[in-house]
């Protein structure tokens, strides 16, 4: 796909990339081309030890468990992350020593939608179209970092908690949505 591609394909879901929905990014072709790029640029940055302070890597829908089963996603993750963590290249080792990798799989083959922490919403519906407050099921989330506390987060969490956590890490405020609220606190204990 191209930078800021808002057209979904069978293995690329545009809604998985939050940055292409910000008008100040998608309406600025130069900014999109410089910052919303395909995986080749991520791999080049890793090899050079030059990742930006915040990078979001979105695998295709087969590898993120949207359309496949857990063993497929596990195999992809092992092939993606193990070479980084076990690299003997000095630039990559330095990068890994200062990086937190936050790994989150999608909702797997159930494809039942999203959980919004008890808030009834239109993204979470049953088969008859009734809005629900809990759906989707459990997903895998892990933080791999020399800075992580090596403990489990036992509370229910959603992508909004993850967004709140990123905002906490970088000292940012809420984007005005569910993030940053008492319903979706940051997972800073990790």
């Amino acid at each position: 796909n191209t930078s800021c591609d808002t057209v979904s394909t069978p293995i690329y879901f545009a809604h998985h990339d939050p940055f292409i929905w910000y008008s100040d990014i998608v309406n600025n072709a130069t900014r999109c081309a410089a910052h919303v790029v395909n995986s080749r640029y991520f791999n080049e940055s890793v090899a050079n030890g030059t990742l930006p302070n915040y990078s979001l890597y979105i695998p295709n829908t087969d590898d993120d468990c949207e359309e496949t089963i857990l063993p497929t996603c596990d195999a992809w993750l092992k092939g993606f992350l193990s070479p980084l963590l076990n690299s003997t290249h000095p630039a990559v080792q330095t990068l890994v020593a200062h990086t937190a990798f936050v790994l989150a799989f999608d909702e797997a083959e159930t494809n039942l939608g999203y959980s919004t922490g008890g808030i009834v919403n239109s993204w979470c519906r049953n088969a008859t179209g009734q809005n629900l407050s809990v759906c989707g099921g459990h997903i895998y989330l892990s933080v791999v970092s020399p800075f992580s506390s090596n403990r489990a987060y036992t509370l229910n969490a959603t992508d909004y908690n993850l967004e709140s956590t990123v905002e906490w890490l970088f000292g940012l405020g809420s984007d005005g949505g569910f993030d940053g609220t008492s319903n979706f606190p940051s997972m800073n204990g990790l």
Side-chain angles (χ1 to χ4, degrees), residues 37-119:
V37 297
N38 69 33
S39 61
R40 178 174 60 91
Y41 296 102
F42 176 87
N43 296 334
E44 289 173 3
S45 294
V46 167
N48 296 326
T50 59
L51 276 179
N53 286 339
Y54 182 79
S55 295
L56 179 64
Y57 188 101
I58 303 166
N60 67 43
T61 57
D62 288 338
D63 296 333
D64 77 353
C65 269
E66 173 85 25
E67 300 294 326
T68 54
I69 58 175
L70 194 55
T72 302
C73 306
D74 286 341
W76 176 83
L77 182 58
K78 183 178 180 181
F80 172 77
L81 195 56
S82 292
L84 297 174
L85 299 177
N86 297 310
S87 177
T88 58
H89 189 278
V92 177
Q93 287 178 329
T94 299
L95 182 128
V96 168
H98 296 92
T99 300
F101 295 95
V102 179
L103 314 166
F105 283 174
D106 210 322
E107 65 264 15
E109 64 184 1
T110 59
N111 200 24
L112 295 176
Y114 312 95
S115 172
T116 55
I119 298 172

Side-chain angles (χ1 to χ4, degrees), residues 138-154:
H138 294 120
I139 63 163
Y140 177 78
L141 175 91
S142 181
V143 178
V144 178
S145 170
F147 308 107
S148 61
S149 63
N150 197 28
R151 46 183 173 174
Y153 188 82
T154 57

